[in-house]
Amino acid sequence: WFVILQTQLFGVLLAAASNFLISVSLNIQKCTHLRLACQTEPKPYYKSKQWWCGTSLLGLGDVGNFTAYGFAPIALVAPLGCVSVIGNAFISVIFLKKTVRTADILGGTLSVTGTYLLVIFAPNVPQEITARQAQNYLVSWPFLVYLILEIIIFCILLYLYKRKAVKHIVVLLMMVALLASLTVIAVKAVASMITLSVKGKMQLTYPVFYIMIVLMATSCAFQVKFLNRAMHLYEATAVVPINFVFFTTSAIISGVIFYREFQSAALLSLFMFLFGCLLSFLGVFVIARNKKEEHLQVPFIDCGHIPGQNLADKIQPDSHSSYYGTLNNEDDLVKSQA
């Protein structure tokens, strides 16, 4: 029991640190883009050392998240994604000079409380999944029924999206969540088999290892495609909390069905775990609610640089009007021309 608890604690700390690192990396990248946009001759972002620093931290955070699945249950690692949302709300104060809102403090408190309940009441089950166990789980009837239902639901949503042109945010993020459930199943299996192989128990010679790698890569690629589509059509303040809830719920369900993580859990532990998830969801929604999107400023155009104009005034483009802009002394100019 102590060894299992120690292993899970390492997975929890690794997942929390990785998600915090991801929030730092995203703020560094955002800061880089804003600085480059303010330059008179902005260079490409990929030539910036600061951008590459943020990208490296993002990759390191993703690797840490991947590794955490080998040490802790899916039901525990997936909800810890709220750490990146909380971290982003407070780290942006340092990098982007934003102000801490009351909603950030309230949402952070709710999410931290929920995370504490998740860690305390998470299922204590062995996390070293061997290749033979993964094979048995793949052909078990609960997972096969779950997989068939998931394929049917995904096909219906894809039909609505492709044929009926239904691009509602729930349709897009539901498809992302269904794909994510397969991704986390494959990620945990691959991470566990790699961990066992490093310890000396070779698991990489089994075909199921490569089956899981293909499943992980394929589901992840399509997941990113539909998530990018949702980010293109809707505001990030709507996509982030809904995607977090859908992803976490699908991951927990897949962990329960495939890895049987709550098979021997007490009813009180299950209730408190779900209550912790609810608090985390609520905290993320509070942080994201009424958060304004950042937009780059539209530059002023100097009339002195327009051929045939000797005015020193500036024109501000107006995107809400059919006119390009207005001059500051337009009335005087009309009178002089008359």
Side-chain angles (χ1 to χ4, degrees):
W1 175 84
F2 178 74
V3 173
I4 293 174
L5 185 62
Q6 196 175 28
T7 304
Q8 282 195 188
L9 182 60
F10 176 75
V12 168
L13 295 176
L14 183 60
S18 299
N19 282 297
F20 183 78
L21 201 61
I22 289 172
S23 63
V24 173
S25 67
L26 293 176
N27 275 276
I28 290 176
Q29 289 181 332
K30 178 72 173 178
C31 183
T32 304
H33 287 299
L34 290 175
R35 285 184 178 180
L36 291 175
C38 293
Q39 295 178 358
T40 54
E41 296 181 358
K43 61 181 180 180
Y45 63 88
Y46 52 82
K47 291 185 178 180
S48 171
K49 293 181 180 179
Q50 188 180 27
W51 183 84
W52 279 109
C53 176
T55 303
S56 302
L57 290 178
L58 180 63
L60 190 62
D62 287 333
V63 170
N65 255 336
F66 173 85
T67 308
Y69 280 103
F71 296 95
I74 292 175
L76 183 54
V77 175
L80 289 176
C82 68
V83 174
S84 64
V85 180
I86 302 170
N88 183 69
F90 293 96
I91 294 172
S92 60
V93 176
I94 300 173
F95 287 97
L96 305 178
K97 308 302 180 183
K98 293 184 179 180
T99 56
V100 179
R101 305 174 305 155
T102 306
D104 295 333
I105 298 174
L106 177 60
T109 304
L110 290 172
S111 296
V112 169
T113 306
T115 303
Y116 174 77
L117 293 176
L118 290 172
V119 174
I120 296 299
F121 295 99
N124 292 321
V125 291
Q127 296 306 312
E128 292 184 344
I129 308 298
T130 63
R132 291 189 180 276
Q133 285 178 314
Q135 288 175 354
N136 294 333
Y137 290 152
L138 275 174
V139 297
S140 62
W141 69 264
F143 175 69
L144 291 177
V145 172
Y146 171 74
L147 183 62
I148 291 171
L149 289 174
E150 191 171 79
I151 292 173
I152 292 173
I153 296 172
F154 183 82
C155 289
I156 293 172
L157 293 173
L158 189 62
Y159 173 78
L160 293 174
Y161 174 70
K162 290 289 186 181
R163 297 294 183 182
K164 299 297 183 180
V166 178
K167 293 179 173 59
H168 195 273
I169 187 171
V170 173
V171 173
L172 289 167
L173 295 183
M174 275 288 289
M175 288 193 289
V176 172
L178 292 173
L179 291 167
S181 66
L182 298 178
T183 303
V184 295
I185 287 173
V187 165
K188 182 167 181 61
V190 171
S192 298
M193 284 187 272
I194 291 176
T195 303
L196 286 172
S197 299
V198 171
K199 291 181 179 179
K201 302 175 183 178
M202 182 53 64
Q203 306 290 315
L204 308 186
T205 56
Y206 291 87
V208 69
F209 175 75
Y210 301 97
I211 292 173
M212 287 296 187
I213 286 182
V214 172
L215 178 63
M216 178 180 66
T218 306
S219 59
C220 189
F222 283 100
Q223 180 185 339
V224 170
K225 175 185 176 181
F226 290 116
L227 185 58
N228 282 336
R229 185 59 179 164
M231 290 292 289
H232 177 72
L233 294 174
Y234 299 95
E235 300 287 352
T237 51
V239 174
V240 170
I242 296 175
N243 182 61
F244 172 71
V245 172
F246 282 5
F247 168 79
T248 305
T249 304
S250 66
I252 292 173
I253 292 173
S254 64
V256 169
I257 294 175
F258 191 85
Y259 293 107
R260 303 162 192 176
E261 292 182 343
F262 284 94
Q263 192 172 18
S264 58
L267 185 61
L268 178 61
S269 297
L270 180 60
F271 174 78
M272 293 303 294
F273 180 85
L274 294 176
F275 183 64
C277 287
L278 181 63
L279 288 180
S280 297
F281 295 162
L282 185 60
V284 171
F285 268 100
V286 169
I287 291 174
R289 191 175 71 90
N290 296 331
K291 204 167 188 178
K292 294 181 180 180
E293 291 290 316
E294 294 288 338
H295 295 286
L296 296 178
Q297 289 184 345
V298 180
F300 287 91
I301 297 177
D302 193 343
C303 288
H305 292 103
I306 301 177
Q309 292 285 350
N310 296 320
L311 299 174
D313 296 325
K314 297 177 180 179
I315 296 177
Q316 172 61 54
D318 186 2
S319 59
H320 301 289
S321 173
S322 59
Y323 297 98
Y324 184 75
T326 56
L327 296 174
N328 293 336
N329 298 320
E330 186 177 9
D331 293 336
D332 295 337
L333 181 64
V334 171
K335 289 178 182 178
S336 62
Q337 288 178 347

